[in-house]
Amino acid sequence: MGAFALGKEELKNMIRENVKTLYRKTLEHATSEEIYQATVFAVRDVITENWMKTHDVYYEKDVKVVYYLSMEFLMGRFFGNTLMNLEMFDEVREVFQELGVDYNRVEEAEPDPGLGNGGLGRLAACFLDSLSTLSLPAYGCGIRYHYGIFEQRIENGYQVEAPDNWLEEGDPWGIKRSEYAVEIKFGGNVRAVPKGNGEYRYVQENYQSVMAVPYDYPVVGYGNRTVNTLRLWEAKAKNRLDLKSFNEGNYQKAAEEEILANTLTDVLYPADEHIQGKELRLRQQYFFISATVQRVIDRFKKRHSDFDILPEKVAFQLNDTHPSMAVAELMRVLVDENDVPWTQAWEITKKVCGYTNHTIMSEALEKWPVELFSRLLPRIYQIVEEINRRFCMELVERYGNDPEKIRSMALIADGQIRMAHLAIVGSHSVNGVAALHTEILKYQELRDFYELNPEKFNNKTNGITQRRWLLHANPKLAGLISEKIGTGWITNLDELEHLLPFVEDEDFRHRFIQIKRENKERLAKYIWEAKGIEVDPDSIFDIQVKRLHEYKRQLLNILHIIGLYNQLRMNPGLDMVPRTFIFGAKAAAGYQRAKQIIKLINSVADVVNHDASIGGKIKVVFLENYRVSLAEKLMPAADVSEQISTAGKEASGTGNMKFMLNGAITIGTMDGANVEICEEVGKENIFIFGMTAKEVQQKYLTGYDPWSVYNMNQEVRMALNSLINGTFDPNLNLFRELYDSLLSGFGGRADEYFVLEDYADYARAQKDIDRAYRDREEWAKMAIRNTAKSGKFSSDRTIRQYAEEIWHLPPVEIGGE
């Protein structure tokens, strides 16, 4: 029992009483969803005392706190993971069993909110888990989206977006904190008011405003008494109803302010092909940043009046470019609202802010049109202009009058505001998220900034929390590991190296393989129930699950599957280990080519899975609505982990780490954290293919003709022709655009992500996998080595590095009786 333990009888009584109080029912007549809610309220009672104690200690000791600012927090379900960290999981399962309740059905009753789009949001969630487990004072700060990103449905092979209504049945984990609501101002104009000493105070007038109301969620550390907070902001109208308009019969105008406020926090990443979408995204970013900064400064001022010590009490970590506005908003609050002189405020701001760059993709290095930015955020625009003016003066002093140099580094140029530049200039630390990614930032993408301030740049390779991705997601493997080496790995993943001697232990290998087989059977059952597709647990489970983007190259994977299918049609007796290819991915609502790739995967699946002539040697499955709870089924069941991005494009990847931890073997390029995975496990325990990042860069410079690959490689040619000859589309034109994008490029760069160039080496690596899998004993050794060498990739290690090297944040132990 952990620090939060309840007696079993007490817990039973609390659950019964909560069911009665909440639903006017006895336990016997309650649904799984009702029992879930009742149990959450019982568990929350256990948590709350230490949650309050944690924040009382932080306040009494006046500790430094890091605020992790992120547009995304893909937390997954709270219930099971919280019980694990409370060390109450077994106790609750036993209580449910004694009450005649199916634990798994109760856990499945919890919504899995899509408050993130992929690795960025899931990383933020892993970091919060590690911050609490390491007893580091922290808040996660984001937005309480009413409908998340979207719930993905597949209809006739196409992605269809539906609202993810995760709040429909209530929100038992969140606590509304109306007392901390703050006003957020948009639009209007700025007036300079003389202060009487030759200086001016800047006042925003004629603005539109909403109230930001925080909801707090507990983030429980493993085996300690620390409970940190995830704070998600929701927009509310300042005046809920214009009663005068309502009484005049103008009902739409009466509710206009409330509708506008609700829209602000409805959806993550609204489509932005139109100006309204762009404006909404910009509003969202400023909304949660302004709310957080205002609240943090209010809290600071309760204890302090000297803003020079703010960096000793507060750290802001900007999770990618979305929160870059924190630099300008902190300046606004310091200068306009607290009369801190500009130069002093700027030094404070740089010491408080740290920036994590997560991608080199241009669409993620946000740029806002000056016209939109200045109209929506007039005072913030003025501040960014002043930061830019002073920075450009520094550049002139450093480099002389070099217009092209200044244009390339300026915060504002060519009618756009470059948010990544704002984050770099306004932070004391700029970090990449894998060794290769950081080198690319330093010597390619952000080279000018690195040359200007090399001391700012550092690497913090991403990580994952083993508590969710092994202890909770794969309990049988976790149990086997603990039996052999103890439980220390739960908070120190490096201890998994103690598994290496068991590579040569035949009994251990067989148990390891048997657990993998049971996980594959569980996934096969889920696939049958969800999709009606029968898959063989004895086949190789080859899985690619991640956000759908061209650089992640799901298209390479499906083209290779088409190549295999063509070979089987010509030679049904082809000697190959049966393979089940599993995909899961959401495409951004406005990303048409990504949606076309999803349609292609499903069209290939429809043909391949129903072709009796190939004897079931390959199956293709697309699992809709990829989310954390689905990932927890997939990671433990994978034999092969597809990490096949174009080298130099993936900043890190964290799915690769989750698969590795669970004993899957990577097929991948030397990209992102794959490079470090290869270093840890050795080249003999990973399947590497394709061009290196340097070779890719050279190809971009010298040019590349995909027709040469088409002409010289029959397998590629036949696979591509299958896109347009009716094999997967009776109408012939459905996949013509994908075909043309690979060979012609529509005036742009054909095959921009080198799908065809890397195809042959990818096919070679897949054949190597087929040969290796036939020796099941050797495959088991490779799998165990992958699990044993995954210690480096714990988010605990990453967060320790952030805390020691960027935030200078010591742990704070929360004592108890």
Side-chain angles (χ1 to χ4, degrees), residues 372-563:
L372 171 62
F373 196 99
S374 60
R375 173 173 54 82
L376 194 64
L377 305 170
R379 179 56 182 148
I380 295 297
Y381 171 66
Q382 290 180 342
I383 290 170
V384 175
E385 279 281 10
E386 181 62 13
I387 294 170
N388 183 61
R389 185 186 70 82
R390 293 175 183 233
F391 178 60
C392 289
M393 286 173 59
E394 286 181 36
L395 295 179
V396 170
E397 288 177 17
R398 176 77 177 261
Y399 300 110
N401 188 18
D402 185 343
E404 190 51 41
K405 183 84 163 179
I406 292 169
R407 175 181 169 274
S408 69
M409 295 182 72
L411 280 61
I412 305 173
D414 305 326
Q416 293 183 314
I417 297 176
R418 300 156 165 175
M419 301 306 287
H421 292 196
L422 175 63
I424 294 165
V425 172
S427 296
H428 70 280
S429 168
V430 178
N431 73 279
V433 291
L436 174 64
H437 171 237
T438 301
E439 293 305 294
I440 290 171
L441 291 180
K442 285 158 60 173
Y443 298 112
Q444 291 179 31
E445 299 302 319
L446 302 177
R447 184 181 61 194
D448 288 342
F449 289 98
Y450 176 64
E451 289 176 354
L452 181 65
N453 295 115
E455 73 285 353
K456 283 189 179 186
F457 285 76
N458 59 93
N459 178 60
K460 300 288 175 282
T461 297
N462 282 342
I464 59 170
T465 170
Q466 63 268 29
R467 290 165 290 279
R468 181 176 285 272
W469 295 110
L470 181 53
L471 184 64
H472 182 250
N474 199 346
K476 289 184 178 177
L477 180 58
L480 175 62
I481 292 169
S482 295
E483 176 190 322
K484 295 298 182 182
I485 66 170
T487 59
W489 63 270
I490 298 172
T491 52
N492 180 9
L493 200 61
D494 289 334
E495 293 200 10
L496 288 186
E497 284 224 35
H498 296 311
L499 289 174
L500 286 173
F502 293 98
V503 168
E504 301 302 328
D505 183 324
E506 183 178 0
D507 178 66
F508 182 84
R509 288 199 306 272
H510 287 177
R511 291 175 67 185
F512 191 95
I513 292 170
Q514 180 58 34
I515 289 168
K516 178 68 73 174
R517 165 73 193 214
E518 290 171 11
N519 289 330
K520 291 170 74 174
E521 288 172 353
R522 182 173 73 121
L523 180 58
K525 181 174 182 287
Y526 175 83
I527 290 170
W528 172 252
E529 291 170 352
K531 303 287 292 184
I533 300 171
E534 187 175 357
V535 300
D536 181 4
D538 287 324
S539 66
I540 298 173
F541 276 22
D542 183 317
I543 302 181
Q544 185 177 20
V545 285
K546 54 184 73 246
R547 180 168 59 91
L548 202 307
H549 196 290
E550 289 166 271
Y551 84 81
K552 294 177 183 287
R553 299 204 294 192
Q554 286 93 344
L555 187 54
L556 174 59
N557 191 345
I558 196 64
L559 277 178
H560 174 255
I561 293 167
I562 293 170

Side-chain angles (χ1 to χ4, degrees), residues 19 48 130 166 171-172 243 246 264 345 352 370 409 437 451 498 513 525 595 633 686 719 727 754 776 784 811:
V19 167
T48 299
S130 289
W166 67 284
D171 181 16
L243 201 57
F246 186 88
L264 187 56
V352 167
V370 167
M409 295 182 72
H437 171 237
E451 289 176 354
H498 296 311
I513 292 170
K525 181 174 182 287
K595 289 178 152 184
K633 295 180 175 70
I686 189 172
T727 303
F754 302 105
R776 299 305 305 281
I784 294 165

Side-chain angles (χ1 to χ4, degrees), residues 658-669:
K658 295 160 196 164
F659 281 118
M660 177 192 188
L661 180 62
N662 283 279
I665 299 170
T666 301
I667 177 171
T669 52

Side-chain angles (χ1 to χ4, degrees), residues 72-92:
E72 303 183 29
F73 285 96
L74 198 55
M75 299 298 290
R77 290 172 172 150
F78 279 82
F79 187 63
N81 199 71
T82 299
L83 293 179
M84 284 284 187
N85 283 5
L86 291 170
E87 298 179 277
M88 286 178 61
F89 187 81
D90 292 338
E91 179 187 348
V92 172

